[in-house]
Amino acid sequence: MPQTDKATILVVDDTPQNIDVLTGILRADYRVKAALNGALALKVASADPRPDLILLDVMMPDMDGYEVCRQLKSRIETQAIPVIFVTAKSEEQDEALGFSLGAVDYISKPVNPLLVLARVKSQLALYNQARHLENMVQQRTRELNETRLEIIRRLGRAAEFKDNETGMHVIRMSWFSRFLAEQIGQPDTWCELLFNAAPMHDIGKIGIPDNVLLKPGALDAEQWQMMQQHVQFGADILGDHPSPLLQMAREVALFHHEKWDGSGYPHGVSGTDIPLSARIVAIADVFDALTSKRPYKNAWTEEQAVTLLNEQSGKHFDPQLVQEFVGCLPQIRDVQARYTDDI
């Protein structure tokens, strides 16, 4: 905390004279707020900016200090604020109760000014250190998550490069998948998982021989059977990991070539037996493939691609998702303009 930025102390006591005494001790070094009862103390403590420390009387009418402390520690926004009880109750069992509720210290009345300043300074130093360490942990966690997601995205792009695709394909279809998930009202966390899992849908193509994967003409029966194995290869590469992201990525890799009418592969499942994540990715993947230019084909128009989706609604694709996908087209156009192929 910068030295020029004074910490804020909330003093809670039902006796105004006691508040005046503590304010007089603290005001030279700290900003001081006051509350004459427990209900007001909870309100002040929850409002931004929150106090850095609370000096709390125990014996108050309506809501005593123990109950105030209990409620402070039960609320996410106030549970970390250190509480020091300032009280005439100094029996051992009283102190034990206060510490069990989450208080960090006790100061007995009548207060000693030097003791008050020393205890407040000590607890603020500990609180600031704890906040600093928490911020460092959060920053490191963000960095690790960002690194993990970047590795996942690049892994997905690796499969596309091997398949004569561009890396932009997995970026675009991931956005399309997210838009469709949001369009049907899936929770934000689920949409974020799908966005990060979708790039790995074809990771199994790494295991397909080049003479099959890159063959310019039609595949014969044996080669087509080999090509279909890429979904299982993808599931095997991603493994059975407890991470929700890798679980969804495996689900998408394994099921995104299944069809609504049961004519897909590898298991021939149909309808809602196909995981929602895979049904969404199937539409996003095909739409981007159709509307993208490749060395071996020209890009379809949006109208042509939507026509095909509608024709395959109830056959290849989930009919409800096809209808919802059309509502995402304005967002999809923005992504197409931002992530263009360089062919």
Side-chain angles (χ1 to χ4, degrees):
M1 179 185 302
Q3 292 183 353
T4 56
D5 186 12
K6 291 183 177 181
T8 299
I9 312 297
L10 172 60
V11 178
V12 185
D13 198 303
D14 63 309
T15 304
Q17 291 88 340
N18 291 338
I19 290 178
D20 290 341
V21 169
L22 288 170
T23 300
I25 295 171
L26 298 167
R27 67 166 54 131
D29 299 307
Y30 306 104
R31 287 191 300 267
V32 181
K33 294 182 177 181
L36 287 168
N37 56 67
L40 180 58
L42 293 172
K43 183 177 180 180
V44 174
S46 299
D48 288 326
R50 295 185 180 90
D52 298 288
L53 185 143
I54 299 173
L55 295 177
L56 179 59
D57 184 28
V58 172
M59 294 182 290
M60 296 185 295
D62 299 325
M63 184 188 300
D64 66 15
Y66 294 136
E67 179 59 25
V68 174
C69 186
R70 186 180 289 110
Q71 293 199 31
L72 286 169
K73 298 305 175 182
S74 70
R75 301 179 182 185
I76 293 176
E77 68 272 20
T78 58
Q79 62 186 199
I81 302 173
V83 174
I84 299 177
F85 281 120
V86 183
T87 179
K89 298 184 71 173
S90 57
E91 295 295 327
E92 190 173 309
Q93 62 269 26
D94 296 323
E95 293 188 4
L97 175 57
F99 286 128
S100 71
L101 294 173
V104 295
D105 207 346
Y106 258 83
I107 297 176
S108 297
K109 293 179 180 179
V111 298
N112 179 320
L114 293 179
L115 180 63
V116 169
L117 290 172
R119 296 283 181 84
V120 167
K121 182 179 179 181
S122 175
Q123 292 301 332
L124 282 175
L126 291 172
Y127 183 43
N128 289 335
Q129 182 181 42
R131 284 191 291 188
H132 176 66
L133 290 174
E134 182 181 0
N135 288 336
M136 290 179 63
V137 170
Q138 289 177 349
Q139 175 63 26
R140 184 58 179 152
T141 300
R142 284 193 296 269
E143 291 173 356
L144 289 172
N145 285 337
E146 289 169 2
T147 300
R148 180 186 65 173
L149 293 177
E150 184 60 23
I151 291 171
I152 287 169
R153 295 186 187 109
R154 291 183 181 275
L155 186 63
R157 293 180 68 181
E160 300 300 331
F161 280 121
K162 190 175 188 295
D163 190 26
N164 281 332
E165 300 282 1
T166 74
M168 294 297 103
H169 168 66
V170 294
I171 294 176
R172 288 192 302 264
M173 59 81 60
S174 297
W175 279 109
F176 300 171
S177 298
R178 181 176 197 154
F179 295 152
L180 181 50
E182 292 171 344
Q183 179 78 5
I184 62 173
Q186 287 298 110
D188 292 343
T189 52
W190 196 92
C191 296
E192 180 73 11
L193 276 179
L194 182 62
F195 176 68
N196 289 304
M200 293 179 282
H201 67 292
D202 271 341
I203 188 61
K205 287 182 178 178
I206 291 174
I208 303 299
D210 286 352
N211 67 307
V212 175
L213 188 65
L214 305 179
K215 183 178 179 180
L219 301 178
D220 61 32
E222 183 179 352
Q223 291 169 334
W224 178 237
Q225 186 176 14
M226 170 59 72
M227 177 65 81
Q228 290 183 354
Q229 292 183 39
H230 83 275
V231 294
Q232 186 60 56
F233 290 163
D236 293 343
I237 289 170
L238 294 166
D240 187 16
H241 192 276
S243 161
L245 174 57
L246 291 178
Q247 287 180 355
M248 182 177 284
R250 185 181 190 278
E251 181 179 84
V252 168
L254 190 57
F255 289 97
H256 74 283
H257 280 295
E258 300 288 1
K259 296 184 179 181
W260 185 257
D261 63 5
S263 64
Y265 65 89
H267 303 300
V269 295
S270 63
T272 55
D273 288 338
I274 306 168
L276 177 61
S277 59
R279 283 180 272 147
I280 289 174
V281 167
I283 294 174
D285 186 31
V286 169
F287 182 85
D288 187 71
L290 293 175
T291 56
S292 301
K293 183 180 179 181
R294 295 291 178 265
Y296 51 85
K297 78 171 191 69
N298 291 321
W300 287 28
T301 65
E302 178 185 289
E303 183 179 0
Q304 290 172 320
V306 170
T307 297
L308 182 136
L309 293 182
N310 286 325
E311 290 174 349
Q312 290 298 314
S313 176
K315 300 175 184 177
H316 188 157
F317 306 115
D318 180 332
Q320 180 180 354
L321 292 181
V322 170
Q323 291 182 9
E324 298 289 353
F325 186 78
V326 175
C328 303
L329 288 175
Q331 295 168 286
I332 287 170
R333 295 182 196 117
D334 290 340
V335 168
Q336 289 174 321
R338 194 185 325 157
Y339 301 105
T340 57
D341 293 318
D342 185 15
I343 295 181

